[in-house]
Amino acid sequence: MQIVGLNVAAWQTRGELAARRTQIDAALTQSFPQVKVVVDAPVQMARELASLRRDTGAASPRDLGPMLGAWAQHAGADAVPTAFEYAPGELRVRGVQLSASALEQARRQLRPLGYRLDTDAQGAVLREGAAP
């Protein structure tokens, strides 16, 4: 009898998942009418947004300016670096050692902005790509 219940639950979940995918696909094609075929809606949406940013000259979260701004706003006044190293989507902040509580607080503040903060032996590493 439990197998029947599990099958019903799986069937309902599959239907809900299909409905969500349809909504996501519709959001993509309504927002970007030039997209005719939807293969992977989240990837295609990110690609179209990046194209819009590039065409309008808007900064991307993975650009140096927004990453430096996020670091400066959320790292704390006592986190004074000796050097910065930048690659698209990654900002290495040298010479900074954050306490465990300061690191956790900065992580909490940066995560909703789409950044991930890690540390290494030489300092901190801010990366674009955390789920908001």
Side-chain angles (χ1 to χ4, degrees):
M1 199 60 166
Q2 290 179 348
I3 292 175
V4 172
L6 287 174
N7 284 337
V8 169
W11 179 76
Q12 288 174 337
T13 302
R14 195 174 313 126
E16 291 170 2
L17 182 60
R20 287 185 184 151
R21 283 188 181 147
T22 300
Q23 290 173 339
I24 291 170
D25 292 354
L28 172 64
T29 55
Q30 288 172 1
S31 299
F32 300 100
Q34 70 275 16
V35 175
K36 302 297 180 197
V37 177
V38 178
V39 177
D40 187 343
V43 170
Q44 288 174 278
M45 179 79 72
R47 192 174 299 134
E48 293 297 324
L49 287 172
S51 177
L52 277 175
R53 279 191 196 104
R54 185 179 53 252
D55 293 348
T56 61
S60 164
R62 60 184 290 117
D63 290 339
L64 177 60
M67 292 188 88
L68 279 173
W71 170 260
Q73 188 173 15
H74 300 290
D78 57 337
V80 179
T82 58
F84 290 105
E85 294 175 15
Y86 170 75
E90 182 177 284
L91 179 66
R92 293 188 171 273
V93 185
R94 302 294 181 204
V96 172
Q97 297 299 323
L98 299 172
S99 68
S101 62
L103 177 63
E104 189 54 38
Q105 180 180 357
R107 283 179 173 161
R108 276 194 314 270
Q109 292 172 342
L110 290 165
R111 190 174 299 121
L113 301 175
Y115 294 112
R116 185 177 74 241
L117 181 62
D118 298 307
T119 58
D120 62 17
Q122 299 166 337
V125 183
L126 183 64
R127 291 185 176 96
E128 185 263 342

